[in-house]
C-alpha cells in the first residue's frame, strides 16, 4: 500500500510538471485548431500474387509487369527508388512422400530458385516481360517498394492451342486479401474449376471455402480450414469439395488467419478456358464493363449474401444509350441463393456493359455478380469472364497489350466523364503517348488503343479519371488461333496507388483540464 501511495504522488507531480510546461510553451490563441484535410499520398509498399499458369504441357505463358510513372511516387522520407520483383512461390511438401529425403532436397533447390526474381521492374514507365512454357511454371509472389510501389501491376497471359484446355487465359496478378466472391463457378461434370490460393507472407494462412447454388448452401465437409503454407500456393478442384454436381455456383472464400490471393481457373469441355477473378464487394449497384460487340452468348450469375431477397433492374449500357433487354429487364435473387439468366446475344453487334440497380432505391440489397461471355459457336467458341468491378478512380493499369488485339472499354453509368489513357513505352522499344476520351452518361465506348510509336514488345495501358462521373473499364485481348477468336478480359478497378494520410499536429492543450 505504501509503494502504491508513493507512485500515485509521483505520477501526480509528473503530470503537474508536464501541464505547467504546456501552459508555459503553448502558443497563444484558442486551445483547439481546425484539423487539416487528410492528404492523398503515394503508397510506399504493395504486394501482388500470381497463380500457377496452367496444367497443360502445351501452355505458353508470358508474364508482364509495370509501374506507371508518377511525380514523387512513393519516395518516402529518404526518396528511395525501391524494387518491384515477382519470385517463384515455394512448393508445398507432400507429407506422405515415400522418399522424404528426396522431397527435402527438391524443396531446397526450389527455395534457392525462389530467391531469383522472374520479373523485376527497374524503373517506372517501362514494362518488363518474361516467358515460361509447359505445366511446371510456378505461382509467383512479390513486393514493390519506394517509387515502384504506387500502381504496380502485373499479368500472366497463357495460350493453350490444343486439348480440352484450349484457349487464352489471362489474369491480372492480384493484391492479397481476406475475403473473395466468385459468382459463376461450377462443379458440373463438364467443368474443371480449380481455385488457386496463394500466400505471399512467411507465416501460414488458413482459408475457408463456401459454395452456394440455386437452392442455397452446398454441402461440403472439406472446404474448411485449408492451410496455405507461407510463400506457397495450393490449387483445389472445386468438384472434390462436394458430392453435388451444380452448373452455376457462387464461391465465397475467407481467411481465418493470414491473407491470400485467390482466383479460379475454369475449363469447360469443348468451350474453352479462362480465369475468373473475384467480383467487387457486395453492393446494391454493380457494373460489368466491356461485353464484346460480337458476343454470341452472355450469361449473368448473381448472388445475394444477406438476409433479404434482391430485386434488380438489368440494363445494357450500349454505344449510344441505356436499355433493358427484352424479357430480362428485372431479376429476382433469393437470399443465400445463386440466380442465373441467359441474356443470349444481348449486344447485337455493338459493345456494351451491364448495369444492375435496385428496382426500389429504398431497398438496395447488396449482391455480387459476374458475366460469362462466349464468342463464336460450336468448336470455334471461346469464353471469358467479366466480374462486377469498381470504378477506375484516380488510376488503373493493365499490362500485356500487343500491337494488335487490344480493346479498351469505358462505361460511364451515372454522368458524362472524361478520361486520360496513356500507352506506355514498349518493353523492348517505343515512345509513350496520351489520348483523352469523353464518355457520355449511360453509354459504353470501345477504344482500340493506338500502339506506341516504334513499338517493340508489349505495352501497358493506364487509365485516369480527369473529370465527371465514375468510369468503369476493362481490356479485352484477342489472339486468334486456327479460326478461333481466343480472348480474355481484365477489369480495371482503382489501383490503390495512393492512401489518405490524416493530418496530425501537436496539441498540448489536452493536458490543461
Amino acid at each position: 500500500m505504501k509503494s502504491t501511495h508513493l507512485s500515485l504522488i509521483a505520477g501526480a507531480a509528473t503530470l503537474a510538471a508536464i501541464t505547467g510546461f504546456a501552459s508555459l510553451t503553448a502558443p497563444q490563441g484558442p486551445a483547439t485548431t481546425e484539423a487539416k484535410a487528410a492528404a492523398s499520398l503515394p503508397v510506399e509498399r504493395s504486394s501482388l500474387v500470381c497463380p500457377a499458369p496452367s496444367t497443360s504441357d502445351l501452355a505458353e505463358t508470358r508474364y508482364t509487369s509495370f509501374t506507371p510513372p508518377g511525380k514523387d511516387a512513393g519516395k518516402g522520407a529518404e526518396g528511395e527508388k525501391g524494387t518491384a520483383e515477382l519470385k517463384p512461390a515455394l512448393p508445398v511438401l507432400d507429407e506422405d512422400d515415400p522418399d522424404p529425403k528426396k522431397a527435402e532436397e527438391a524443396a531446397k533447390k526450389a527455395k534457392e530458385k525462389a530467391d531469383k526474381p522472374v520479373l523485376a521492374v527497374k524503373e517506372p514507365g517501362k514494362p518488363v516481360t518474361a516467358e515460361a512454357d509447359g505445366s511446371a511454371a510456378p505461382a509467383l509472389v512479390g513486393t514493390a517498394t519506394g517509387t515502384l510501389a504506387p500502381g504496380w501491376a502485373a499479368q500472366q497471359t497463357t495460350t493453350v492451342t490444343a486439348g480440352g484446355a484450349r484457349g487464352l487465359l489471362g489474369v491480372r496478378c492480384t493484391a492479397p486479401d481476406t475475403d473473395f466472391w466468385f459468382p459463376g463457378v461450377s462443379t458440373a461434370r463438364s467443368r474443371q474449376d480449380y481455385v488457386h490460393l496463394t500466400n505471399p507472407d512467411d507465416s501460414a494462412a488458413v482459408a475457408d471455402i463456401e459454395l452456394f447454388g440455386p437452392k442455397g448452401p452446398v454441402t461440403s465437409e472439406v472446404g474448411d480450414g485449408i492451410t496455405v503454407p507461407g510463400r506457397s500456393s495450393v490449387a483445389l478442384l472445386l468438384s472434390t469439395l462436394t458430392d453435388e454436381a451444380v452448373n452455376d455456383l457462387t464461391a465465397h472464400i475467407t481467411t481465418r488467419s493470414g491473407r491470400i490471393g485467390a482466383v479460379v481457373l475454369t475449363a469447360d469441355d469443348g468451350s474453352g478456358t479462362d480465369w475468373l477473378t473475384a467480383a467487387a464487394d457486395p453492393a446494391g449497384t454493380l457494373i460489368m464493363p466491356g461485353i464484346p460487340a460480337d458476343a454470341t452468348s452472355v450469361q449473368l450469375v448473381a448472388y445475394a449474401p444477406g438476409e433479404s431477397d434482391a430485386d434488380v433492374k438489368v440494363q445494357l449500357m450500349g454505344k449510344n444509350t441505356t436499355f433493358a433487354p427484352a424479357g430480362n429487364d428485372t431479376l429476382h435473387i433469393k437470399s443465400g441463393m445463386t440466380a442465373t439468366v441467359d441474356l443470349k446475344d444481348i449486344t447485337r453487334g455493338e459493345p456494351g456493359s451491364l448495369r444492375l440497380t435496385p428496382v426500389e432505391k429504398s431497398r438496395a440489397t447488396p449482391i455480387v455478380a459476374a458475366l460469362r461471355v462466349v464468342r463464336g459457336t460450336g468448336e470455334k467458341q471461346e469464353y471469358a469472364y467479366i466480374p462486377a468491378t469498381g470504378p477506375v478512380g484516380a488510376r488503373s493499369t493493365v499490362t500485356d497489350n500487343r500491337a494488335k488485339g487490344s480493346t479498351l472499354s469505358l462505361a460511364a453509368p451515372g454522368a458524362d466523364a472524361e478520361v486520360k489513357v496513356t500507352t506506355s513505352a514498349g518493353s523492348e522499344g517505343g515512345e509513350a503517348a496520351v489520348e483523352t476520351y469523353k464518355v457520355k452518361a449511360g453509354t459504353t465506348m470501345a477504344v482500340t488503343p493506338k500502339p506506341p510509336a516504334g513499338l517493340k514488345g508489349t505495352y501497358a495501358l493506364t487509365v485516369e479519371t480527369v473529370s465527371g462521373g465514375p468510369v468503369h473499364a476493362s481490356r479485352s485481348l484477342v489472339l486468334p488461333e486456327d479460326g478461333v477468336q481466343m480472348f480474355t478480359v481484365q477489369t480495371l478497378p482503382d489501383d490503390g496507388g495512393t492512401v489518405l494520410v490524416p493530418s496530425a499536429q501537436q496539441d498540448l492543450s489536452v493536458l490543461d483540464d
Side-chain angles (χ1 to χ4, degrees):
M1 292 294 293
K2 183 177 181 181
S3 60
T4 302
H5 180 67
L6 291 175
S7 297
L8 291 172
I9 295 175
T14 302
L15 180 60
I18 295 175
T19 305
F21 175 78
S23 63
L24 289 172
T25 60
Q28 298 298 319
T32 59
T33 58
E34 183 178 351
K36 295 181 180 179
S40 180
L41 300 177
V43 299
E44 297 182 11
R45 185 181 181 86
S46 57
S47 299
L48 291 175
V49 296
C50 317
S54 177
T55 58
S56 172
D57 292 334
L58 301 177
E60 297 179 356
T61 299
R62 174 182 291 179
Y63 301 100
T64 55
S65 185
F66 174 81
T67 295
K71 184 179 180 181
D72 298 328
K75 286 186 177 180
E78 301 179 0
E80 296 179 358
K81 178 180 178 181
T83 60
E85 298 178 337
L86 283 163
K87 299 179 179 181
L90 297 173
V92 178
L93 291 177
D94 183 0
E95 297 180 355
D96 297 327
D97 194 305
D99 191 345
K101 290 186 177 180
K102 185 177 180 180
E104 290 179 6
E105 184 64 26
K108 182 179 178 180
K109 291 181 179 179
K111 189 177 185 307
E112 294 174 353
K113 188 177 181 180
D115 290 334
K116 300 178 181 179
V118 173
L119 285 174
V121 177
K122 300 297 184 182
E123 58 183 302
K126 184 177 180 180
V128 295
T129 65
E131 296 183 352
D133 293 334
S135 60
L140 303 180
V141 297
T143 301
T145 60
T147 59
L148 298 175
W152 182 41
Q155 168 153 330
Q156 61 183 38
T157 307
T158 303
T159 303
V160 181
T161 57
R166 182 269 300 155
L168 179 65
L169 304 89
V171 61
R172 295 181 68 185
C173 300
T174 58
D177 206 339
T178 59
D179 196 324
F180 308 86
W181 291 98
F182 295 95
V185 299
S186 177
T187 57
R189 291 181 177 83
S190 63
R191 288 275 290 269
Q192 295 285 307
D193 286 14
Y194 285 86
V195 58
H196 287 243
L197 308 177
T198 306
N199 179 4
D201 301 317
D202 292 333
S203 57
V206 179
D208 296 328
I209 302 176
E210 298 175 287
L211 300 175
F212 303 92
K215 298 180 181 179
V218 174
T219 303
S220 173
E221 297 180 357
V222 292
D224 293 339
I226 300 168
T227 299
V228 187
R231 296 188 62 81
S232 298
S233 185
V234 298
L236 301 168
L237 181 61
L238 283 181
S239 61
T240 63
L241 303 184
T242 177
D243 294 330
E244 299 183 46
V246 184
N247 283 328
D248 299 300
L249 293 166
T250 297
H252 186 208
I253 301 175
T254 56
T255 62
R256 300 183 189 182
S257 62
R259 56 179 191 157
I260 56 174
V263 288
V264 178
L265 176 60
T266 76
D268 193 330
D269 292 345
S271 299
T273 181
D274 209 346
W275 292 97
L276 171 60
T277 56
D281 290 340
T285 296
L286 298 177
I287 309 296
M288 286 148 277
I291 305 172
D294 62 350
T296 54
S297 174
V298 177
Q299 183 186 54
L300 168 64
V301 183
Y303 174 76
E307 297 181 355
S308 301
D309 293 357
D311 288 289
V312 297
K313 296 179 183 179
V314 180
Q315 297 175 306
L316 183 78
M317 294 184 290
K319 182 179 180 180
N320 299 306
T321 188
T322 296
F323 61 91
N328 291 305
D329 55 335
T330 63
L331 175 64
H332 180 71
I333 311 168
K334 293 183 178 180
S335 170
M337 302 181 187
T338 297
T340 61
V341 57
D342 186 3
L343 300 174
K344 302 180 181 179
D345 56 341
I346 185 175
T347 57
R348 298 187 181 278
E350 291 187 358
S353 302
L354 203 71
R355 178 172 66 184
L356 303 180
T357 57
V359 171
E360 297 181 26
K361 292 184 179 180
S362 60
R363 298 182 61 185
T365 302
I367 59 173
V368 293
L371 297 177
R372 185 175 186 264
V373 179
V374 178
R375 301 176 71 180
T377 59
E379 295 181 355
K380 300 296 184 181
Q381 67 178 295
E382 161 76 321
Y383 71 86
Y385 291 94
I386 306 176
T389 184
V392 168
R395 182 184 62 188
S396 187
T397 296
V398 61
T399 64
D400 197 10
N401 296 281
R402 318 288 175 95
K404 295 181 180 180
S406 293
T407 300
L408 177 66
S409 294
L410 305 168
D416 293 354
E418 183 176 355
V419 298
K420 180 175 75 171
V421 178
T422 303
T423 55
S424 76
S427 56
E428 299 175 22
E431 299 180 1
V434 176
E435 296 282 349
T436 58
Y437 300 95
K438 294 182 179 180
V439 189
K440 183 181 176 182
T443 68
T444 299
M445 175 183 288
V447 176
T448 300
K450 184 178 180 180
L455 171 65
K456 293 182 180 180
T458 68
Y459 66 94
L461 278 174
T462 299
V463 182
E464 300 172 79
T465 304
V466 176
S467 62
V471 173
H472 298 250
S474 69
R475 187 282 312 270
S476 174
L477 178 64
V478 181
L479 297 179
E481 182 72 30
D482 292 334
V484 179
Q485 294 294 306
M486 297 199 305
F487 77 113
T488 183
V489 179
Q490 281 73 53
T491 56
L492 279 78
D494 189 291
D495 63 20
T498 59
V499 62
L500 289 177
V501 179
S503 176
Q505 64 183 32
Q506 187 180 39
D507 186 5
L508 295 176
S509 64
V510 296
L511 299 174
D512 289 324
D513 191 359

